[in-house]
Amino acid sequence: MKITAIRHCKADGQESHAALTAEGEQQAIELADFLVGQHFDCVISSPFKRAIDSIKPFVELNKHSILIDDRLSERILSADNDPNWRDNLERTYTEEHLKFPGGESTFEAKQRISSFIKELQKKSYQSVLIVTHGNLLSLMINLYDTSFGFKEWEVLTNPDVFLIDVSLKDVSKLWVS
């Protein structure tokens, strides 16, 4: 099975209802053009508005429907507004069981995305398109490329597109913005 994994286009915030910026809306159109001609058994998105809106132009052009899966939601580092969030996030890449109040550990987030991928495999899909968020995407890639960590997360862009060949455990970047 191959997963085309997309980090959403540029948005005006981190809240679940944050909309795409004007630049993000243009990126979504460019993303649709980039994906033209590719076949996907299904398109699955995080329930966050910015993720759904990032793939909307593609699904409208190709008459796909968007399935929503909460397991593609962004990982919550902490329920608190943490001024040291970046340093704490970096720690979670090496301390996978580290968990902040109201948050999700790296281990838990990887379990969540692993269960999602296993479910896709059971359905015998060949090619799936998903739209998610930067931190969760980086943890998903890490399942197949253990060298992908905090430093690689730092250089992700909006959008970013990766191809993950689950059976070969191979990851390649498809989109350079």
Side-chain angles (χ1 to χ4, degrees):
M1 177 179 67
K2 293 182 180 179
I3 299 172
T4 300
I6 299 173
R7 181 186 191 191
H8 63 80
C9 300
K10 288 188 181 174
D12 65 9
Q14 296 297 313
E15 311 80 32
S16 61
H17 62 275
L20 296 179
T21 63
E23 181 182 2
E25 290 173 0
Q26 181 59 40
Q27 290 171 334
I29 293 167
E30 293 168 10
L31 185 60
D33 290 341
F34 174 76
L35 295 169
V36 161
Q38 295 189 45
H39 169 76
F40 300 103
D41 296 320
C42 62
V43 176
I44 309 170
S45 177
S46 155
F48 288 27
K49 180 174 175 40
R50 62 188 178 271
I52 294 167
D53 290 350
S54 292
I55 203 60
K56 224 179 234 181
F58 173 76
V59 297
E60 288 172 355
L61 280 173
N62 294 278
K63 298 183 180 16
H64 273 284
S65 58
I66 303 173
L67 303 173
I68 303 299
D69 196 303
D70 290 338
R71 291 172 292 184
L72 295 175
S73 298
E74 182 59 291
R75 172 182 170 208
I76 304 294
L77 182 63
S78 172
D80 300 331
N81 188 5
D82 182 1
N84 298 317
W85 72 267
R86 195 175 193 89
D87 292 333
N88 287 333
L89 179 62
E90 184 174 10
R91 287 180 57 202
T92 68
Y93 278 85
T94 54
E95 301 173 50
E96 288 199 351
H97 291 278
L98 178 62
K99 185 173 177 175
F100 297 99
E104 182 179 35
S105 72
T106 292
F107 178 80
E108 291 168 331
K110 283 174 137 181
Q111 291 294 105
R112 173 166 53 105
I113 197 67
S114 290
S115 76
F116 170 78
I117 293 167
K118 285 176 185 168
E119 186 178 301
L120 294 177
Q121 289 176 301
K122 285 180 185 172
K123 294 181 178 181
S124 299
Y125 290 134
Q126 298 299 307
S127 182
V128 177
L129 175 65
I130 68 164
V131 187
T132 188
H133 306 271
N135 188 240
L136 192 68
L137 175 62
S138 73
L139 298 177
M140 183 164 109
I141 292 169
N142 180 264
L143 293 171
Y144 301 97
D145 176 359
T146 56
S147 69
F148 202 99
F150 179 78
K151 299 281 185 224
E152 292 72 22
W153 167 82
E154 283 185 305
V155 296
L156 288 176
T157 60
N158 296 89
D160 245 331
V161 182
F162 289 84
L163 179 63
I164 301 169
D165 188 320
V166 174
S167 55
L168 295 178
K169 297 188 177 189
D170 183 56
V171 179
S172 55
K173 187 168 183 170
L174 298 178
W175 176 279
V176 179
S177 54

